[in-house]
Amino acid sequence: MNRSGRRSGYFVKVFSTALAALLAAASFSGCGVPNLDPPLCSEARTPVREFYSFHFGNEMVVSPDALALRREFITDGLFERAAAAEPGTDPFTSGSADLPKAFRVGECRVLGPERTGFDVLLFWKDDVRSEQRTINIEAVRVNGRWLVDKIVQ
C-alpha cells in the first residue's frame, strides 16, 4: 500500500471516530422524552401532583384538621363534598378506609379552556395484595391557580 492510501485510511478512521463521538454527545444533550401533554395539561399536572404528594405524605382520612391542610389545593365545592364524607374515609382516593400506598398522575385530557381531567393511578401493595385502580379527577384554574375540583372513584 502506498503512502497516500495509508493517509486516507487514517483520515477515514479519525473522521469516523470523531463523528461517532459527536453523535453520541448530541444524543445525550437535550434530547429527552418529548412532552406530549397539551399546554393546559402541562400547567395543571404539577399542582395535581403536589396535591397528591401532600395528601399521601399526611393523614389521609377525613378530619377537620386534615381537610383544612388541603384547602389550598382544592376548590370550595370539593372542600364541602370532602367535609361531608364519612369520617375515617379518604374522599380523595378510594372513598373508603382502604388507603392506597402510592399514586401516579397519568393521562390528561383538556376538558375546557380552564379545565383538565387526569387519570390518577392508585396502588395497594403488601405481602398478600398487589392492586392498581384508576380514579378520574378534574382540575380547574381559579384566579390563575390550578385546583383539584372533582374526583370520580
Side-chain angles (χ1 to χ4, degrees), residues 5-144:
R6 277 189 246 148
R7 260 193 245 139
S8 65
Y10 177 75
F11 175 77
V12 169
K13 186 185 248 181
V14 169
F15 178 77
S16 63
T17 302
L19 182 60
L22 190 63
L23 289 174
S27 70
F28 290 113
S29 63
C31 295
V33 175
N35 184 353
L36 301 177
D37 270 347
L40 281 180
C41 287
S42 294
E43 290 175 27
R45 183 175 295 278
T46 299
V48 168
R49 189 180 315 122
E50 287 172 352
F51 167 67
Y52 276 98
S53 292
F54 180 84
H55 182 62
F56 273 72
N58 293 283
E59 177 86 21
M60 291 174 67
V61 296
V62 173
S63 73
D65 291 338
L67 197 52
L69 293 172
R70 285 149 182 80
R71 185 79 172 152
E72 70 180 276
F73 299 102
I74 62 177
T75 62
D76 292 342
L78 181 56
F79 183 86
E80 290 170 13
R81 290 188 300 276
E86 186 178 326
T89 65
D90 179 8
F92 303 113
T93 61
S94 64
S96 71
D98 183 19
L99 304 176
K101 303 288 185 204
F103 78 96
R104 183 171 57 92
V105 178
E107 183 180 344
C108 176
R109 296 160 300 287
V110 174
L111 304 175
E114 302 290 320
R115 184 171 289 276
T116 57
F118 286 93
D119 293 339
V120 176
L121 288 80
L122 304 174
F123 303 95
W124 288 260
K125 185 158 177 89
D126 57 31
D127 293 338
V128 294
R129 181 179 180 193
S130 181
E131 184 179 342
Q132 172 183 320
R133 284 189 230 156
T134 301
I135 60 172
N136 298 298
I137 68 105
E138 291 184 18
V140 63
R141 188 170 16 209
V142 178
N143 297 324

